[in-house]
Amino acid sequence: MDWLTLANEVVNGKELNEEEALSILNSDDDELLSLLQGAFTIRKHYYGKKVKLNMIINTKSGLCPENCGYCSQSSISTAPIEKYRMMDRESILAGAERAYNLKVGTYCIVASGRGPSEKELDTVVSAVKDIKEHYGLKVCACLGLLKPNQASRLKEAGVDRYNHNINTSKEHHESITTSHTYDNRVETIEAVKASGISPCSGVIIGMRETKKDVVNMAYSLKVLDADSIPVNFLHAIDGTPLEGTDDLDPRYCLKVLALFRFINPTKEIRISGGREVNLRSLQPLGLYAANSIFVGDYLTTKGQESTSDHEMLKDLGFEVEFDFEENEALTV
C-alpha cells in the first residue's frame, strides 16, 4: 500500500473502506515509518505541529457498582486502590491551579460510578464556575452515564467537553461489561451533543478484541462525530478480570493510532492511558498520528513525569496548544 498517496486522498475527502482500514492493522512492520508518514500528512494538514495537553483529576475513586472488566474501581475488582467519595470544591480547584501552572489546556474532572448523584453534580457545577472565573481552563467532565437535564446543567456551568468512552466495539461489549449496555453509552454521548457540549469518546485497545473490532470502534466514533477521541492501551491491573492480559506491542499500538487518524482525519486523537507501558520507547512516534496527550497520572495508575512529556515535545519540534480562553499557543 502506498500510504502517502492514501493519506493525500483522505485529505481530499476519501473515506477508507473496511479492507483498507484492516490493511493498516495488518501492515508489515517494515512499512511502519511510511504508514506514520501518511498519518502525519493528515495530522499536519489539520493540526500542524501543535499538541494539546490534558490532565485528569480523580475526584471520586472506587465505590463503583459497575462490572467493567478492565477497571480497578469496579465492583468486581480486588485491586488494592485508594477509595474515597467525591472531593470538595476546594480540592478540585487546587487541581485546576496545578493544571494551569503546568500549561495544561484541558482539565478533566473524573468521578467513578454509574452516574453522578445530584449532590455530586452540584459540587462539579460549583467548581467549574470557579475554574472558569479564575483560570479560564477548558473543562472536560467524565462522570458516567448522564441524563439530559444533567448535561444541560453542566453546559450552563461552563463545561466545554464531556467524556464517555464507548471503550470497545458493540459486538465485544458484553465480553467487557454486562452492568450497562453499549447503547447506554451511546445515549449519554447523544445527550451531551444535544446539550451543546463537545462530545469526547474513545476506546481501550488490548482487551482481547479482534482487529475487526478495532476498525469498528474507529468507524463508530466517526458516526457518533466525537470531537475528541482518547485512545487508551490496556494497562492490565492485578485484581481485575483482564489481569495478565498482554496482547500489545509498541508497533501495533502505532498502527492503531494511524488507523484512527486515517478514519477520523479532522478529529483530536489523544494518546491516553497505558501509553507509557505499551508504546514504551516509541512514545514520540505516536504523536506523528495523534495530536493530543494526557500528562501526569491517570485514575489509579501512574503516568510519565510532565517534565519528560515537555522534553519529548521539545525534541520533536512540536508546539503546545493552549486551550485557555485567549487560545494562545507557545513553543515549548
Side-chain angles (χ1 to χ4, degrees):
M1 180 72 72
D2 184 339
W3 301 116
L4 188 55
T5 296
L6 184 62
N8 284 316
E9 290 175 351
V10 168
V11 167
N12 289 319
K14 174 184 171 61
E15 296 186 3
L16 265 63
N17 60 41
E18 185 176 314
E19 181 181 356
E20 290 167 327
L22 281 170
S23 72
I24 292 175
L25 298 182
N26 288 322
S27 61
D28 192 280
D29 288 346
D30 290 349
E31 298 179 51
L32 185 56
L33 289 180
S34 58
L35 173 62
L36 288 174
Q37 182 185 12
F40 181 63
T41 296
I42 302 169
R43 178 238 201 273
K44 187 177 180 183
H45 178 80
Y46 291 104
Y47 293 99
K49 299 174 75 174
K50 295 178 180 178
V51 178
K52 296 177 183 287
L53 301 184
N54 306 261
M55 193 180 85
I56 287 175
I57 181 169
N58 191 14
T59 61
K60 177 186 174 188
S61 182
L63 311 172
C64 183
E66 302 298 291
N67 65 359
C68 303
Y70 55 85
C71 185
S72 61
Q73 303 184 76
S74 77
S75 61
I76 58 173
S77 169
T78 60
I81 63 165
E82 186 179 5
K83 298 179 181 180
Y84 50 85
R85 298 199 178 277
M86 193 74 181
M87 287 180 177
D88 57 27
R89 182 179 62 87
E90 289 73 22
S91 298
I92 298 174
L93 284 172
E97 181 178 14
R98 180 169 180 266
Y100 181 83
N101 291 333
L102 287 172
K103 306 299 183 185
V104 170
T106 303
Y107 182 55
C108 306
I109 300 172
V110 184
S112 65
R114 182 177 178 85
S117 68
E118 289 307 303
K119 183 178 179 181
E120 290 167 347
L121 197 68
D122 288 343
T123 300
V124 173
V125 164
S126 176
V128 169
K129 289 178 179 177
D130 283 345
I131 290 167
K132 286 295 184 178
E133 180 181 351
H134 295 294
Y135 302 110
L137 292 170
K138 188 172 186 178
V139 176
C140 178
C142 179
L143 312 173
L145 298 173
L146 213 58
K147 300 171 185 176
N149 67 306
Q150 293 176 320
S152 296
R153 287 194 63 197
L154 292 173
K155 172 64 176 177
E156 291 169 7
V159 170
D160 301 281
R161 180 166 284 172
Y162 194 87
N163 168 256
H164 197 61
N165 293 334
I166 58 170
N167 285 329
T168 192
S169 70
K170 185 171 186 176
E171 295 75 15
H172 191 56
H173 185 270
E174 287 192 2
S175 300
I176 302 303
T177 181
T178 57
S179 54
H180 60 269
T181 67
Y182 179 90
D183 289 340
N184 290 151
R185 289 186 168 269
V186 171
E187 287 163 7
T188 288
I189 298 166
E190 294 297 348
V192 166
K193 289 163 64 176
S195 75
I197 296 175
S198 172
C200 171
S201 187
V203 300
I204 304 172
I205 303 298
M207 298 195 295
R208 302 172 186 167
E209 73 279 347
T210 66
K211 290 177 180 176
K212 185 174 180 179
D213 284 319
V214 178
V215 169
N216 287 344
M217 294 178 220
Y219 280 127
S220 294
L221 291 168
K222 184 179 184 68
V223 171
L224 284 170
D225 199 24
D227 293 329
S228 177
I229 302 175
V231 180
N232 299 274
F233 299 102
L234 181 68
H235 183 175
I237 299 172
D238 292 347
T240 65
L242 288 172
E243 173 183 343
T245 304
D246 185 18
D247 295 341
L248 303 176
D249 65 59
R251 300 173 305 284
Y252 179 72
C253 293
L254 290 172
K255 293 171 188 177
V256 168
L257 291 170
L259 171 75
F260 275 79
R261 175 56 68 202
F262 271 86
I263 291 180
N264 297 279
T266 66
K267 302 302 186 179
E268 177 184 337
I269 308 294
R270 184 184 316 135
I271 312 176
S272 301
R275 68 178 167 99
E276 297 85 356
V277 297
N278 287 291
L279 282 167
R280 299 194 285 277
S281 61
L282 298 190
Q283 282 187 71
L285 291 177
L287 285 166
Y288 286 100
N291 64 298
S292 179
I293 57 171
F294 274 116
V295 296
D297 297 333
Y298 301 101
L299 296 177
T300 61
T301 56
K302 291 290 185 182
Q304 186 166 278
E305 289 291 332
S306 60
T307 52
S308 298
D309 287 324
H310 281 82
E311 288 172 1
M312 177 174 68
L313 298 181
K314 181 179 179 181
D315 290 346
L316 286 165
F318 287 176
E319 298 175 304
V320 173
E321 180 177 343
F322 295 100
D323 280 330
F324 302 137
E325 290 185 351
E326 59 267 26
N327 196 29
E328 295 178 351
L330 302 176
T331 303
V332 294

